[in-house]
Amino acid sequence: LESARLSPAKPLAPVANTGTGDHSLSLSLSAASWVEVIQADGTRLEYGLLSAGSNKTYRSDQPLDVRIGNASGVQVSIDGKSIGMDDFRRANVARFRMQTQDGTASATSL
């Protein structure tokens, strides 16, 4: 390969926040995990594999449906409060909805 034909790789800027709204869903990954986050209107905020060491925050005032593969490698918090995944996990895949009620966001089973 001739180096003249190759262009240097451009570093990607990390995307820390996705969506808009007063409530936040934050993911901190200690292991690579497949993540899907869908807004109430069906719009995908995330769909794909996130690498170990990633930190992502999704903001919304509407419910968010969340699916996380390799859930044991992900710490989840809603509005800054840590959420345990045990109630939402089967075969290391977590499925839950971030919803708001009376101005407070929480996780519930899908």
Side-chain angles (χ1 to χ4, degrees), residues 34-82:
W34 181 85
V35 176
E36 181 179 35
V37 180
I38 302 173
Q39 295 184 81
D41 67 2
T43 303
R44 283 184 173 159
L45 296 180
E46 190 73 61
Y47 184 79
L49 186 66
L50 299 181
S51 61
S54 297
N55 293 294
K56 297 283 286 214
T57 299
Y58 308 90
R59 302 198 64 81
S60 182
D61 289 326
Q62 301 299 316
L64 296 176
D65 288 349
V66 182
R67 289 168 188 82
I68 302 171
N70 194 20
S72 61
V74 181
Q75 296 293 319
V76 178
S77 62
I78 294 177
D79 289 346
K81 296 178 185 174
S82 183

Side-chain angles (χ1 to χ4, degrees), residues 23 78-79 83 88 96-101 104-108:
H23 298 286
I78 294 177
D79 289 346
I83 304 299
F88 310 118
F96 64 94
R97 173 174 288 148
M98 181 186 90
Q99 65 181 15
T100 58
Q101 185 173 359
T104 302
S106 62
T108 186

